Amino acid sequence: MASKKIIIANWKQNGSLRSLYTLTNQIIRAIKLKKIKHSIAILPPHVYLPMLSKQVLSNKKLKNLSIGVQNVSAFPDGAYTGEVSFEMCKDFGSKYFLVGHSERRQLFSESDALISKKVSRLLSCNKKVVLCVGETLAERNKKLEKKVISKQLTSALSLLSQGSNIKTNNIIVAYEPIWAIGSGKSASNKDIYNTHFFIKKKLATRFKSCKILPKIIYGGSVNNMNSKDILSIEGVDGALVGGASLNAKKFIEICSSI
Ligand code: PEP
């Protein structure tokens, strides 16, 4: 069997109490029927975390299904109207914390500085971070993708002191070329391989004293037709799936494609 991957469903601001309950049940059923052997995480909107975590966590045998959130505050308790801390999410079983998604960066003006605060707060508290990086189409057309990704990675990890005892297995880097998100056009296998290789080299330098390197997953128009090819690329440890993760049949096919 292929090595175990991590496949993360980013449901964004989609769904309802009823539809996400049903979707979660369908994923649970597929895992119970042993259709899915990889590690799966679902990231619902925050408000549905209490209900869905009950659903996921009450199935004690579902060791490979976890729940997480799409965004988290950079700060502990305090006067931060509208924000939700990782401690609050953790109370409802959140294991994964997505940080720096391009929609947060572009639509909500999240800066590299804010993202690095989130990353350092989560990692210093031993939490699992899924850090998104990726270039825009304009940057890609100017062949700036490596420069952009390098800057995003360096900045996101900049508040962690070199000698700090953070666990590298708490870090997942999601390479998401922005032009591929929701466009129906994923990056080519060659580009995915090359960029993952580049990110791996950067991480190996940054964490040179660590035995385990962070995992690197790909996101951007992953669907049930291309997932087998993408997940089979050397250096791809999994996938971050947006649109296709809202369709139970498609998502289960993605998760069982290799
Ligand atoms: C995403 O937004 O993280 C994503 C990968 O979306 P999609 O799969 O729809 O491209």
Side-chain angles (χ1 to χ4, degrees):
M1 185 199 150
S3 63
K4 206 165 176 176
K5 311 281 180 184
I6 167 100
I7 302 169
I8 303 177
N10 176 12
W11 289 343
K12 311 193 185 191
Q13 189 187 303
N14 287 301
S16 62
L17 194 65
R18 185 192 281 255
S19 72
L20 296 182
Y21 181 85
T22 304
L23 181 53
T24 304
N25 256 348
Q26 287 166 311
I27 296 168
I28 289 174
R29 203 168 332 126
I31 293 175
K32 282 188 175 163
L33 290 172
K34 303 209 184 320
K35 283 190 185 162
I36 301 176
K37 302 205 168 61
H38 300 287
S39 295
I40 311 299
I42 55 171
L43 311 183
H46 281 100
V47 286
Y48 297 129
L49 187 63
M51 175 190 74
L52 299 181
S53 71
K54 223 186 223 174
Q55 217 178 335
V56 169
L57 301 175
S58 62
N59 280 282
K60 294 225 162 39
K61 284 188 189 146
L62 291 176
K63 293 218 168 20
N64 55 338
L65 179 63
S66 308
I67 196 157
V69 288
Q70 305 163 18
N71 181 32
V72 72
S73 172
F75 306 102
D77 283 2
Y80 303 106
T81 302
E83 291 288 278
V84 179
S85 69
F86 84 72
E87 288 88 343
M88 295 167 180
C89 302
K90 208 178 96 293
D91 279 345
F92 291 97
S94 179
K95 181 170 169 192
Y96 292 94
F97 299 86
L98 191 70
V99 172
H101 191 280
S102 61
E103 285 152 17
R104 300 288 329 159
R105 293 180 192 258
Q106 294 191 320
L107 303 175
F108 302 99
S109 306
E110 282 202 10
S111 63
D112 280 346
L114 182 70
I115 290 162
S116 66
K117 264 191 199 159
K118 294 185 182 190
V119 169
S120 70
R121 177 160 154 59
L122 288 162
L123 290 177
S124 58
C125 295
N126 199 19
K127 298 289 158 284
K128 287 199 183 296
V129 176
V130 183
L131 167 68
C132 300
V133 297
E135 79 284 358
T136 63
L137 188 58
E139 288 160 347
R140 180 183 171 78
N141 288 341
K142 288 189 212 149
K143 300 203 183 328
L144 290 174
E145 61 270 26
K146 289 194 173 127
K147 201 170 169 191
V148 169
I149 293 166
S150 180
K151 184 171 167 278
Q152 289 170 336
L153 279 174
T154 305
S155 167
L157 302 171
S158 63
L159 296 177
L160 306 168
S161 58
Q162 279 289 349
S164 65
N165 55 355
I166 61 126
K167 292 188 184 146
T168 38
N169 63 355
N170 277 338
I171 308 173
I172 296 173
V173 174
Y175 169 52
E176 296 211 300
I178 296 169
W179 48 271
I181 295 177
S183 66
K185 192 179 179 318
S186 68
S188 70
N189 291 358
K190 188 167 168 246
D191 282 342
I192 296 173
Y193 172 83
N194 284 337
T195 312
H196 278 233
F197 186 74
F198 172 75
I199 294 172
K200 191 173 176 181
K201 249 179 32 192
K202 281 237 25 135
L203 293 171
T205 308
R206 176 62 179 79
F207 296 110
K208 54 178 176 292
S209 56
C210 300
K211 283 204 187 102
I212 301 172
L213 282 182
K215 287 190 188 309
I216 309 167
I217 64 176
Y218 170 79
S221 293
V222 174
N223 59 44
N224 50 332
M225 308 303 280
N226 61 20
S227 56
K228 185 172 181 190
D229 282 350
I230 291 174
L231 291 168
S232 303
I233 299 169
E234 191 188 335
V236 172
D237 298 313
L240 179 55
V241 187
S245 71
L246 288 161
N247 178 302
K249 184 174 175 290
K250 284 185 186 166
F251 187 62
I252 291 163
E253 278 179 24
I254 291 169
C255 296
S256 47
S257 58
I258 66 163

